[in-house]
Amino acid sequence: MASAKNQNSSAARRAKLEEARRKERARERRSRIITITAAVVVLTGLVAGGGYLVSAADEQDKAEEQARTSPVTGEKSWGDLDQDHVQTPVDYPMNPPVGGDHSPVWMNCDADVYTAAIPNENAVHSLEHGAVWVTYNDKAKDVDVEALSERVAKTPYSLMSPVAGQKDPLMLSAWGKQLTVKSATDARVAQFFTKYVQGAQTPEPGAACSGGVAK
């Protein structure tokens, strides 16, 4: 009788041990499945995210290329502009000027925002170096002046100043190019910057925009 009871007790213990092992294997399988699933989800997310970033970068490159190669609607152009250095004031045929003879020293244009008028002759030299010059008169709205100031302050090879005598409230100039806009939110503002900051029209690309006149 004792032997039978011992056998039954051993069998019960083995059964419990086997059941415990079975449950442990099941837990391990579930853990592996969860880990693998999580890894697949993360990897899929990384691949999808990377693909999105690459796609977004490609779209940005295409947009910038289109901005550079497409004409800016409404802009005015001048060709065959003189480039001599002079020490005397220049009577420019347009206001603000977009090129012509100019001072030997450029106006600093490394994202410089001037709150007072600057000499045309120095600003034209900045345009020769590939800068975009944003100007405004007293009819410009404060919100537009502030928005354009923020853009210039973030853009090397650009400068901004008031020009009291210009005919329109907001104007953008580059060497040989000029555009009037009614608002800082005009899409042509971004295109003008993309196309003409160190653009193909620049007579002296890469020339300095710092170390000149600061006011």
Side-chain angles (χ1 to χ4, degrees), residues 2-213:
S3 178
K5 288 181 179 180
N6 289 337
Q7 290 177 353
N8 290 338
S9 177
S10 296
R13 284 197 300 270
R14 286 196 298 271
K16 287 182 179 180
L17 182 58
E18 184 60 32
E19 178 65 15
R21 290 172 176 170
R22 186 188 65 79
K23 290 181 178 180
E24 181 62 24
R25 288 194 296 269
R27 282 195 296 270
E28 290 177 353
R29 284 197 299 273
R30 286 195 298 271
S31 296
R32 285 197 299 271
I33 290 171
I34 291 171
T35 301
I36 292 170
T37 301
V40 169
V41 169
V42 170
L43 182 59
T44 301
L46 290 173
V47 171
Y52 171 78
L53 291 175
V54 170
S55 177
D58 287 343
E59 289 301 317
Q60 179 68 21
D61 289 343
K62 289 178 183 178
E64 290 182 358
E65 181 62 21
Q66 184 174 5
R68 282 191 290 266
T69 56
S70 300
V72 179
T73 303
E75 73 175 10
K76 294 181 180 179
S77 298
W78 291 262
D80 299 323
L81 296 167
D82 293 334
Q83 293 178 239
D84 293 333
H85 289 175
V86 297
Q87 300 287 352
T88 56
V90 179
D91 183 17
Y92 294 103
M94 74 293 287
N95 188 35
V98 299
D101 293 340
H102 49 269
S103 169
V105 185
W106 56 91
M107 201 76 199
N108 282 348
C109 47
D110 190 18
D112 289 281
V113 177
Y114 301 98
T115 57
I118 60 178
N120 284 339
E121 292 78 12
N122 299 106
V124 169
H125 197 152
S126 300
L127 302 186
E128 185 182 44
H129 289 189
V132 163
W133 183 19
V134 178
T135 56
Y136 59 97
N137 63 20
D138 57 2
K139 294 183 175 61
K141 296 179 181 178
D142 290 343
V143 65
D144 290 322
V145 173
E146 181 178 357
L148 289 170
S149 296
E150 290 176 357
R151 177 181 286 274
V152 169
K154 297 175 183 177
T155 309
Y157 284 94
S158 73
L159 69 163
M160 181 173 178
S161 70
V163 175
Q166 69 180 38
K167 66 183 182 64
D168 296 305
L170 300 170
M171 299 177 73
L172 287 76
S173 302
W175 185 270
K177 306 290 181 180
Q178 194 165 80
L179 176 69
T180 293
V181 295
K182 294 185 180 298
S183 168
T185 60
D186 191 316
R188 295 175 299 167
V189 172
Q191 184 186 3
F192 198 91
F193 271 77
T194 299
K195 189 177 180 72
Y196 295 129
V197 169
Q198 286 284 282
Q201 87 294 340
T202 304
E204 297 180 2
C209 242
S210 59
V213 176

